[in-house]
Amino acid sequence: MTLKFVESARLPTQWAEFTICGFEDERTGKEHIALVLGDVADGEPVDMRVHSECLTGDAMFSMRCDCGPQLQAALQNIGEAGRGILLYLRQEGRGIGLINKIKAYHLQDDGADTVEANERLGFDADLREYDIAYDMLNYLQVKKIRLMTNNPRKVQALEKQGIEVVERLPWKHGENSHNAHYLSTKAGKLGHLL
């Protein structure tokens, strides 16, 4: 395992007071976090979202994607339930990084879809990895989850590593006129269950 737990602290939010846990991937140097609410190590299935970083959507409120609304809905759902986990993985732009994501946006402005843009830049459509999520869950002593996602690849990756996904919770939030083509591409080319 290349993941190292670094530190945890209280993180009050508008939805709940989470415990924020910081991890470092010693292989890549990337830092990832888990927001944890309640007793998640009791053996019962945990509501969870694996969220890949999206600076433009999460922090700049971009309407080109559905990332920000999905993140907020996950935190609200966990807060209302009083128990759950949000894993925030530093995999900007489906793994291509922020600057390359801006380049991909430019290609999309000129007519490419999100998959074509990544490929024209020399990347696969989706470079994200989920092994780090398994390591984080292992640290948190979680083996059974109800996963908030439309991405069957996340389900398969976690199950392959021994996490029991007892339920996939459909996660449709943030649809608008600016991201309709993006969402249809995610469904048609990446297999998302929308």
Side-chain angles (χ1 to χ4, degrees), residues 94-106:
R94 290 197 309 277
I96 67 173
L98 181 59
I99 297 302
N100 284 321
K101 179 179 174 179
I102 295 169
K103 292 176 182 179
Y105 276 177
H106 179 79

Side-chain angles (χ1 to χ4, degrees), residues 46-64:
V46 177
D47 286 3
M48 192 189 89
R49 173 149 177 85
V50 177
H51 190 87
S52 293
E53 176 183 40
C54 177
L55 181 70
T56 52
D58 299 343
M60 304 299 168
F61 315 106
S62 169
M63 296 176 71
R64 291 183 83 127

Side-chain angles (χ1 to χ4, degrees), residues 41-184:
D42 62 3
E44 294 298 314
V46 177
D47 286 3
M48 192 189 89
R49 173 149 177 85
V50 177
H51 190 87
S52 293
E53 176 183 40
C54 177
L55 181 70
T56 52
D58 299 343
M60 304 299 168
F61 315 106
S62 169
M63 296 176 71
R64 291 183 83 127
C65 63
D66 54 347
C67 301
Q70 286 190 354
L71 174 63
Q72 291 180 21
L75 293 172
Q76 180 178 351
N77 181 58
I78 292 167
E80 289 172 356
R83 180 175 177 271
I85 300 170
L86 183 123
L87 300 183
Y88 195 87
L89 306 184
R90 306 293 300 278
Q91 304 188 99
E92 183 75 47
R94 290 197 309 277
I96 67 173
L98 181 59
I99 297 302
N100 284 321
K101 179 179 174 179
I102 295 169
K103 292 176 182 179
Y105 276 177
H106 179 79
L107 292 171
Q108 291 170 39
D109 288 344
D110 289 341
D113 66 35
T114 185
V115 169
E116 293 165 346
N118 279 19
E119 291 172 344
R120 287 183 193 172
L121 292 171
F123 300 106
D124 287 339
D126 192 342
L127 296 173
R128 293 176 295 179
E129 298 177 357
Y130 299 106
D131 55 334
I132 201 78
Y134 169 78
D135 291 340
M136 294 166 87
L137 291 173
N138 193 42
Y139 177 84
L140 297 169
Q141 301 176 22
V142 172
K143 298 292 182 196
K144 298 179 183 177
I145 61 172
R146 285 185 297 273
L147 189 60
M148 303 172 214
T149 189
N150 299 319
N151 186 348
R153 189 170 168 245
K154 286 182 187 177
V155 175
Q156 294 163 359
L158 291 171
E159 287 180 335
K160 183 179 178 183
Q161 295 174 359
I163 300 297
E164 183 181 345
V165 181
V166 299
E167 184 178 1
R168 181 190 69 83
L169 304 173
W171 211 242
K172 287 181 71 174
H173 300 278
E175 297 175 49
N176 64 68
S177 60
H178 299 281
N179 66 20
H181 183 62
Y182 166 79
L183 293 175
S184 68

